């Protein structure tokens, strides 16, 4: 069981995914996982992730956007969007490098629900997410770890509307994990 905080600044434009630049993200999350396969000292885990709060700031118009903008080329309205989300598909592969240090790679997919259509007024308030990345784990107690990592995060309405600019983020995060049980 664990908790994490993640931050991304100045969302990039990805020609195949997110087309919305210069947005900032903050994620607060909880994650639970269980080992499904051990290979030597390494392990493969499946889990779920709950994001009770995500905040995205910025009003930049996506590449190719033809909707309303102000004189500065920004989308009118409040620059802050609030959301919560859930990822029922989290997979992690972890490899210990000693008794206290390890590396891991992870991926997740789920849903995120914003307080307004996002990232443009013609979008949807509910979007899909996918993320992948990795990092390092440091054991700080018998059953306790700190993690630091990076993940590429993408959200999109999957063309459920005519406009689907998507939003990407290079997320740096810190986490605290406590092993429960055996």
């Amino acid at each position: 069981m664990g908790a994490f905080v993640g931050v991304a600044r100045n969302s990039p434009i990805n020609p195949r995914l997110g087309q919305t630049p210069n947005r900032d993200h903050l994620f607060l999350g909880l994650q639970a996982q269980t080992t499904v396969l051990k290979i030597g000292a390494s392990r493969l885990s499946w889990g779920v992730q709950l994001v009770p709060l995500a905040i995205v700031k910025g009003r930049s118009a996506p590449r190719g956007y033809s909707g309303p903008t102000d004189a500065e080329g920004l989308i009118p309205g409040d620059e802050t969007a609030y959301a919560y989300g859930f990822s029922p598909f989290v997979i992690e592969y972890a490899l210990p490098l000693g008794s206290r240090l390890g590396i891991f790679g992870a991926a997740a997919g789920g849903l995120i629900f914003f307080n307004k259509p996002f990232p443009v007024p013609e979008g949807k308030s509910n979007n899909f997410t996918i993320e992948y990345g990795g990092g390092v784990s440091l054991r700080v107690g018998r059953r306790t770890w700190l993690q630091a990592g990076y993940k590429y995060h993408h959200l999109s309405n999957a063309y459920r509307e005519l406009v689907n600019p998507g939003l990407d983020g290079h997320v740096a995060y810190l986490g605290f994990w406590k092993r429960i049980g055996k």
Side-chain angles (χ1 to χ4, degrees), residues 3 17 28 33 46-47 51 70 88 91 98 112 147 149 151 169 173:
L17 294 172
L28 299 177
Q33 61 192 50
W46 170 83
V51 177
D70 63 18
I91 191 159
I112 191 164
Q147 277 190 340
K151 56 184 157 187
Y173 67 94

Side-chain angles (χ1 to χ4, degrees), residues 27-171:
F27 299 95
L28 299 177
L30 302 169
Q31 185 167 316
Q33 61 192 50
T34 187
T35 300
V36 294
L37 179 65
K38 285 188 174 184
I39 304 168
S42 68
R43 65 174 173 72
L44 181 67
S45 299
W46 170 83
V48 294
Q49 194 176 83
L50 175 67
V51 177
L53 179 63
I55 302 171
V56 181
K57 289 188 161 245
R59 296 186 302 134
S60 57
R63 188 171 80 175
Y65 180 66
S66 59
T69 57
D70 63 18
E72 296 175 344
L74 300 175
I75 296 170
D78 185 13
E79 80 163 13
T80 304
Y82 300 93
Y84 63 93
F86 178 73
S87 293
F89 308 108
V90 177
I91 191 159
E92 178 181 288
Y93 180 74
L95 178 64
L97 299 177
S99 63
R100 295 192 61 210
L101 186 66
I103 57 174
F104 66 92
L111 298 167
I112 191 164
F113 304 92
F114 283 91
N115 64 319
K116 61 183 181 180
F118 188 83
V120 296
E122 302 83 8
K124 287 283 215 185
S125 58
N126 54 333
N127 288 273
F128 298 97
T129 65
I130 189 165
E131 62 187 35
Y132 55 88
V136 296
S137 296
L138 177 66
R139 182 187 297 261
V140 294
R142 191 171 140 246
R143 297 173 172 244
T144 309
W145 290 264
L146 294 178
Q147 277 190 340
Y150 161 85
K151 56 184 157 187
Y152 190 86
H153 184 271
H154 172 73
L155 69 87
S156 164
N157 69 33
Y159 287 101
R160 292 176 301 121
E161 289 292 332
L162 293 176
V163 177
N164 180 35
L167 178 69
D168 294 346
H170 295 291
V171 180

